[in-house]
């Protein structure tokens, strides 16, 4: 077992894990933050996307030990109390989801995209969400949500 | 995933000695191939040696050479103003590997050490005439890539950096598999003076290769019109559920033409 510590959603957390524990398992099973989802076994679906030191990453494709000492944000770390993050609010407003299973990953990827691009276009959003698979919506409302959410994030700066 | 021992290396030399001391060790770079493979139990190393703290990340420009540390992520290469100004085609290639999340973790060293026959970076290394620097030596791309998932690396040898020379013009075109985004065929064309290099990934049975006949034709006349793939042996192409050998061979021609036109 290996001792690890990291900052998750602004709080210091510690744990003792087997090296083979995936970061997403640590987040869901040790920290009980079950908003981060696991939608596949093959690192393809993006439901588990979180932010690691400011970059979006698939938490199913990282070992928990690799995240030792890093700063992690999960979907639970976005809202300010009862007030949703602008990207979450945009997904709600634009009906950017149906079953909602992929949504945590979509929102985390979308925020990273908005943070790293000046002006998002539909093309950039569609390319940028390549690593996130939704099996319900056909992506149309997701793209609308991300564009709206990015604008709202900029307006809130 | 099977159990393994985890260790961190604090330098490339430290990683190499830890690797040498292990019966069945693997170095962990960005983990974007190794971890999925271990999850599927297709790989089950006894020891995993993490290179994250080995100080192998970073980009430097030395005259007309771009030196990229082995642990530099695809996202870093794609957004590097140095790479964008000296070898723009390389930055563009890095920005189209996998998806955003693969690019924030995946590294150049990991990609070329794995030598996946459909990976993008091997085409850039071969097309640009890169030198792969390891803990033991420097190898040309032709010496380094030896076959499907095979490289010239010894058991205890680790890539530390890749050196790319500046070229007059270059372009990379790939036809991605619609599901996996790996190249069904990808062609890197580079031109320096009268020398032309054409490197093909995704299509060859033995992984990345240089298309010498295309190079000769393009060196004589750098025009998409001279691209003729008919002499290429079809039985040297990958044939699988994603595409037939004939389809891949045809894609090489289409991607080469597009790359030449974009050069």
């Amino acid at each position: 077992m290996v001792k690890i510590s990291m900052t998750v959603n602004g709080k210091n957390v510690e744990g003792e894990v087997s090296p083979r524990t995936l970061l997403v398992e640590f987040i869901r099973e040790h920290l009980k933050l079950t908003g981060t989802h696991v939608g596949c076994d093959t690192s393809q679906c993006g439901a588990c996307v979180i932010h690691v030191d400011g970059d979006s990453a698939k938490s199913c494709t990282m070992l928990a030990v690799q995240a030792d000492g890093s700063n992690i944000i999960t979907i639970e770390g976005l809202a300010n109390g009862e007030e949703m993050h602008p990207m979450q609010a945009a997904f709600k407003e634009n009906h950017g989801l149906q079953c909602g299973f992929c949504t945590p990953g979509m929102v985390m990827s979308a925020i990273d995209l908005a943070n790293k691009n000046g002006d998002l276009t539909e093309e950039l959003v569609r390319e940028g969400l390549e690593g996130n698979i939704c099996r319900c919506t056909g992506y149309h409302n997701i793209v609308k949500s991300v564009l709206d959410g990015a604008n709202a994030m900029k307006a809130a700066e | 995933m099977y159990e393994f021992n985890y260790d961190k290396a604090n330098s490339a030399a430290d990683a190499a000695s830890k690797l040498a001391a292990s019966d069945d060790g693997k170095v962990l770079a960005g983990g974007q191939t190794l971890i999925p493979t271990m999850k599927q139990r297709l790989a089950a190393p006894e020891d995993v040696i993490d290179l994250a703290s080995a100080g192998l990340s970073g980009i430097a420009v030395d005259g007309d050479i771009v030196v990229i540390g082995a642990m530099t992520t695809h996202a870093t290469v794609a957004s590097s103003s140095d790479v964008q100004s000296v070898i723009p085609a390389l930055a563009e290639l890095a920005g189209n590997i996998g998806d955003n999340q693969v690019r924030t973790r995946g590294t150049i060293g990991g990609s070329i050490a794995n030598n996946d026959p459909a990976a993008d970076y091997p085409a850039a290394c071969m097309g640009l005439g890169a030198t792969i620097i390891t803990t033991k030596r420097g190898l040309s791309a032709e010496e380094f890539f030896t076959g499907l998932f095979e490289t010239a690396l010894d058991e205890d040898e680790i890539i530390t950096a890749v050196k790319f020379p500046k070229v007059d013009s270059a372009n990379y075109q790939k036809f991605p598999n619609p599901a996996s985004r790996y190249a069904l065929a990808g062609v890197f064309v580079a031109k320096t003076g009268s020398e032309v290099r054409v490197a093909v990934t995704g299509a060859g049975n033995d992984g990345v290769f240089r298309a010498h006949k295309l190079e000769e034709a393009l060196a004589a006349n750098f025009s998409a019109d001279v691209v003729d793939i008919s002499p290429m042996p079809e039985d040297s192409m990958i044939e699988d559920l994603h595409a037939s050998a004939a389809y891949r061979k045809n894609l090489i021609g289409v991607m080469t033409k597009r790359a030449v036109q974009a050069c």
Side-chain angles (χ1 to χ4, degrees):
Chain A
M1 299 295 268
V2 182
K3 275 193 179 158
I4 55 171
S5 68
M6 61 190 85
T7 307
V8 178
N9 301 331
K11 286 185 200 136
N12 289 325
V13 299
E14 285 178 8
E16 215 174 291
V17 296
S18 160
R20 66 173 163 175
T21 304
L22 296 171
L23 180 55
V24 70
E25 292 166 350
F26 181 70
I27 289 169
R28 288 178 55 85
E29 290 161 29
H30 294 239
L31 304 180
K32 308 292 179 197
L33 294 171
T34 53
T36 301
H37 290 170
V38 179
C40 74
D41 232 354
T42 48
S43 305
Q44 283 168 310
C45 81
C48 69
V49 170
I50 58 165
H51 294 180
V52 180
D53 296 327
D55 290 320
S56 62
K58 296 175 194 178
S59 59
C60 78
T61 311
M62 276 183 76
L63 304 171
V65 288
Q66 285 179 285
D68 186 28
S70 59
N71 185 10
I72 304 269
I73 309 281
T74 71
I75 189 80
E76 289 92 343
L78 296 182
N80 181 9
E82 293 293 300
E83 189 195 339
M84 282 191 280
H85 183 282
M87 191 60 78
Q88 291 174 304
F91 269 72
K92 183 183 179 203
E93 186 60 31
N94 290 282
H95 194 56
L97 57 134
Q98 284 184 27
C99 85
F101 193 87
C102 71
T103 311
M106 287 284 178
V107 171
M108 298 311 285
S109 288
I111 292 171
D112 190 34
L113 261 186
N115 283 338
K116 287 178 185 164
N117 290 279
D119 278 312
L120 280 178
T121 59
E122 181 183 335
E123 198 189 343
L124 279 174
V125 172
R126 287 187 184 273
E127 267 178 23
L129 292 180
E130 220 169 287
N132 295 83
I133 294 173
C134 167
R135 293 286 82 145
C136 313
T137 67
Y139 301 96
H140 190 70
N141 285 354
I142 294 175
V143 175
K144 264 167 62 183
S145 306
V146 177
L147 288 169
D148 263 17
N151 284 334
M153 280 169 66
K154 219 187 268 177
E157 267 172 16
Chain B
M1 194 184 295
Y2 290 111
E3 279 190 76
F4 57 86
N5 303 309
Y6 172 84
D7 204 353
K8 284 179 186 170
N10 56 33
S11 69
D14 183 33
S17 68
K18 283 179 167 143
L19 204 50
S22 168
D23 284 339
D24 179 22
K26 279 256 183 217
V27 285
L28 173 63
Q32 299 303 288
T33 299
L34 181 59
I35 293 173
T37 313
M38 288 169 67
K39 279 162 68 175
Q40 300 292 316
R41 295 186 169 180
L42 297 171
E46 227 168 80
D47 301 292
V48 170
I49 300 142
D50 192 346
L51 293 176
S53 314
L56 295 176
S57 182
I59 296 168
V61 178
D62 180 8
D64 275 351
I65 308 266
V66 179
V67 185
I68 302 180
M71 284 294 285
T72 311
T73 65
H74 310 325
T76 304
V77 174
S79 63
S80 156
S81 53
D82 282 337
V83 182
Q84 283 169 0
S85 72
V86 184
I87 314 174
L90 185 60
E92 202 180 318
L93 174 144
N96 283 311
I97 298 173
D99 52 48
N100 268 333
Q101 290 71 42
V102 166
R103 292 193 288 271
T104 60
R105 303 285 311 167
T107 67
I108 185 166
S111 169
I112 63 176
N114 189 45
N115 194 16
D116 188 302
D120 299 303
Y121 264 133
C125 292
M126 200 84 110
L128 289 166
T131 305
I132 289 103
I133 310 297
T134 75
T135 42
K136 294 184 176 176
R137 54 196 162 152
L139 291 159
S140 71
E142 279 92 339
E143 291 166 330
F144 181 84
F145 299 109
T146 54
L148 221 56
F149 296 105
E150 294 286 338
T151 69
L153 286 173
D154 289 340
E155 292 290 327
D156 60 344
E157 185 175 17
I158 289 161
I159 301 167
T160 56
V162 186
K163 290 185 176 180
F164 293 95
K166 184 184 163 99
V167 292
D168 291 348
S169 63
N171 190 264
Y172 177 64
Q173 295 286 329
K174 74 168 157 177
F175 191 89
N177 177 318
S180 75
R181 317 309 290 170
Y182 271 99
L184 278 179
V187 178
F188 198 103
V189 174
K191 188 173 179 290
T192 305
S194 58
E195 196 203 349
V196 177
R197 293 171 73 105
V198 178
V200 180
T201 188
N205 265 333
D206 297 324
V208 65
F209 66 92
R210 276 177 72 184
H212 292 289
K213 287 213 169 78
L214 292 179
E215 291 179 353
E216 283 161 28
L218 287 165
N221 177 13
F222 195 73
S223 156
D225 297 337
V226 305
V227 173
D228 174 18
I229 48 141
S230 56
M232 276 189 184
E234 200 173 294
D235 59 7
S236 67
M237 304 294 162
I238 299 172
E239 165 115 14
D240 59 17
L241 79 166
H242 304 296
S244 67
Y247 186 72
R248 278 194 168 87
K249 179 179 161 179
N250 187 61
L251 279 179
I252 294 173
V254 177
M255 294 302 115
T256 307
K257 285 179 185 173
R258 286 184 191 169
V260 168
Q261 277 159 350
C263 259

